[in-house]
Amino acid sequence: QVQLVESGGGLVQPGGSLRLSCAAPTSGFIFTNYVMSWVRQAPGKGVEWVSAISRTGGTTSYADSVKGRFTISRDNAKNTIYLQMNSLKMEDTAVYYCAKKRPPRIGTISSDIGEYDYGGQGTQVTVSS
């Protein structure tokens, strides 16, 4: 089980910004082999795929609900991915989880939540006035 550690959540007003981080292990896990993703779970709802990034960082993909507001990035030297969230809305309130692509197609971006493994503690994002 790969331990992914999320951080950076908090309470923010509508229209505000937050930057989430996710650190992957530096041993026993070849970070650059994997497409990485962010998913979220709002209160009382199922897990929703938010965004994904290719192994090199050159290709990104977003759910329609966050397109134009969120930016995913990665630093392969630090085994870390980020999610810059701008123009936050109340409906962005959720626990955000970092996820890695599930084998066998670990290098292929997908918006299918079932193709990702996640299970860290997550980081809570609350958007409220």
Side-chain angles (χ1 to χ4, degrees):
Q1 183 81 359
V2 175
Q3 188 89 2
L4 301 171
V5 180
E6 303 91 345
S7 62
L11 173 64
V12 63
Q13 292 186 338
S17 298
L18 281 174
R19 189 193 194 207
L20 307 183
S21 299
C22 168
T26 55
S27 63
F29 176 62
I30 305 175
F31 183 70
T32 52
N33 279 358
Y34 287 82
V35 163
M36 298 296 293
S37 176
W38 287 96
V39 302
R40 67 185 181 185
Q41 186 168 25
K45 296 189 176 181
V47 179
E48 174 191 20
W49 175 83
V50 174
S51 181
I53 188 166
S54 65
R55 292 178 290 187
T56 63
T59 301
T60 57
S61 184
Y62 299 91
D64 287 343
S65 58
V66 307
K67 200 172 293 183
R69 300 187 298 120
F70 289 11
T71 302
I72 189 171
S73 61
R74 68 190 293 164
D75 185 338
N76 286 343
K78 297 181 178 180
N79 278 26
T80 301
I81 69 167
Y82 305 96
L83 187 67
Q84 177 66 43
M85 304 187 296
N86 298 329
S87 302
L88 282 161
K89 304 176 180 180
M90 294 180 68
E91 51 264 43
D92 294 318
T93 295
V95 178
Y96 284 71
Y97 299 93
C98 178
K100 66 175 184 65
K101 195 75 189 310
R102 183 176 294 167
R105 301 195 302 165
I106 62 175
T108 304
I109 284 185
S110 169
S111 60
D112 184 348
I113 190 70
E115 294 191 26
Y116 292 92
D117 289 324
Y118 55 92
Q121 85 284 357
T123 187
Q124 175 71 50
V125 171
T126 302
V127 185
S128 175
S129 55

